[in-house]
Amino acid sequence: MGKRRKSFSHTKSFWMFVAPALLLFFVFFILPLFLSIGFSFTNYDGWKTMEFVGLENYKKLLVSGEFYKTLARTFGYAIFSLPFKVIIPLLIAALVTSRYCKGITAIRTITYLPVLISALVVGITINWMFGQEYGLINFIIQSLGGKPMEWSLNPFLATFVISFASNWASTGFYMIMYIGGIKNISPELYEAASVDGAKSYQAFFRVTLPMLSPTIFIVLLLSTVNLLKEYALVQGITSGGPGTSTTYIVQYMFDQGFTQYRYGYASAIGVVVSLIFIVIAAIQFKMTKGGEVD
């Protein structure tokens, strides 16, 4: 009887700690998910109109040229930014875990600080740096005798600025993940590589990278999803411009829902995009074998 009471007490304590998180997860994820799926079969306008239209929203979506252009633009941005998301934090993590590096604490702190800044502040900072008339970067370029660049008017430059901001804001977070992975690698492996005559760069490619496969997979997965659903930074820096050159799929969905009051259609976009994200994650998992170390 005493063991049963003790077991029940532990179970009760467990659910008391977990319940708030489950409640928040249900309210802010599960419930909106089901509501979005339900709205996608209606012509809901966010106010009075809400009639069942079946698959009409999905039919319109699948023949919409604007949707496919926006999706292609989103994938282009993600493919352009993804290598920097994965490689730069890895190189910094390798640097700050090296015994030859000085000022490790300062480097870690400086790299991680942008993670603590809100997307709004990041947008303001980046706009100040890349401002066309009074920006810091153009000031430096002019000081060196160059011609100021039209960061906000050139589609490629605008995409570069958003990618730079996204990488700057997230590098510290992924760096911490890599540092944790590197610290878990047995020192004996490096000692064995040293005995075999391996140089530092050879140990990095032959020992560090293979043993970091699970961490690299997680970083790759998180980076891909975060890039595909980039919103706050885009709104804070370019607002989707110039034109629609930096209008990505989340901006398109928000515009359809909150600007054009086509909530049913926007919900259909959300459902289709979620399915696309799931497929991409499954492909990454399959190609990388979930980051398993051979």
Side-chain angles (χ1 to χ4, degrees):
M1 183 65 73
K3 289 183 178 180
R4 288 184 179 180
R5 286 181 179 178
K6 189 174 182 180
S7 176
F8 176 76
S9 177
H10 282 296
T11 304
K12 184 179 178 181
S13 300
F14 168 79
W15 285 112
M16 286 179 64
F17 280 107
V18 172
L22 290 177
L23 179 62
L24 292 173
F25 182 76
F26 176 80
V27 172
F28 292 104
F29 182 80
I30 300 297
L31 184 59
L33 175 63
F34 282 104
L35 286 175
S36 181
I37 294 173
F39 288 152
S40 69
F41 296 105
T42 70
N43 62 350
Y44 183 47
D45 64 353
W47 182 241
K48 294 181 179 180
T49 305
M50 190 170 68
E51 300 171 352
F52 181 77
V53 295
L55 297 174
E56 193 64 28
N57 288 323
Y58 292 97
K59 291 178 182 178
K60 291 180 181 179
L61 179 63
L62 294 177
V63 296
S64 171
E66 187 177 3
F67 169 74
Y68 288 113
K69 288 180 181 177
T70 306
L71 198 60
R73 196 181 302 124
T74 306
F75 282 132
Y77 165 72
I79 292 171
F80 173 78
S81 303
L82 189 59
F84 302 103
K85 287 270 189 182
V86 177
I87 295 173
I88 293 177
L90 174 60
L91 295 178
I92 296 176
L95 174 66
V96 298
T97 53
S98 171
R99 65 178 182 272
Y100 302 109
C101 182
K102 305 297 182 182
I104 291 176
T105 303
I107 296 174
R108 289 183 181 182
T109 303
I110 293 171
T111 305
Y112 189 77
L113 274 178
V115 179
L116 306 176
I117 303 174
S118 69
L120 178 61
V121 177
V122 170
I124 293 172
T125 304
I126 294 299
N127 278 329
W128 169 73
M129 291 177 61
F130 291 92
Q132 195 160 319
E133 295 183 8
Y134 306 105
L136 175 64
I137 303 300
N138 274 349
F139 173 77
I140 295 173
I141 292 174
Q142 286 179 297
S143 299
L144 297 174
K147 184 180 178 181
M149 305 186 73
E150 298 180 337
W151 299 103
S152 60
L153 298 179
N154 184 296
F156 176 78
L157 292 179
T159 302
F160 167 80
V161 171
I162 295 173
S163 178
F164 177 86
S166 180
N167 281 283
W168 179 62
S170 64
T171 294
F173 175 75
Y174 296 129
M175 176 196 70
I176 295 297
M177 295 180 64
Y178 281 128
I179 290 174
I182 292 173
K183 292 293 185 181
N184 284 329
I185 299 175
S186 174
E188 295 177 358
L189 295 175
Y190 292 105
E191 292 174 4
S194 178
V195 170
D196 290 339
K199 300 183 183 298
S200 298
Y201 71 90
Q202 291 175 321
F204 176 77
F205 285 104
R206 298 294 180 88
V207 178
T208 305
L209 282 183
M211 297 303 296
L212 276 180
S213 294
T215 307
I216 293 173
F217 168 73
I218 295 297
V219 171
L220 182 66
L221 183 62
L222 292 176
S223 299
T224 303
V225 173
N226 288 332
L227 285 169
L228 291 175
K229 64 182 183 68
E230 198 83 80
Y231 177 76
L233 279 178
V234 179
Q235 289 298 107
I237 297 173
T238 65
S239 297
T244 58
S245 60
T246 58
T247 298
Y248 304 128
I249 195 64
V250 178
Q251 282 78 27
Y252 178 67
M253 181 173 62
F254 270 68
D255 176 67
Q256 294 295 317
F258 295 103
T259 303
Q260 302 188 33
Y261 300 104
R262 302 170 66 189
Y263 284 84
Y265 185 69
S267 296
I269 296 174
V271 172
V272 172
V273 169
S274 297
L275 292 175
I276 292 173
F277 286 1
I278 292 172
V279 171
I280 291 173
I283 292 172
Q284 287 184 329
F285 191 89
K286 185 73 175 177
M287 291 180 65
T288 60
K289 299 179 181 178
E292 292 180 2
V293 180
D294 295 329

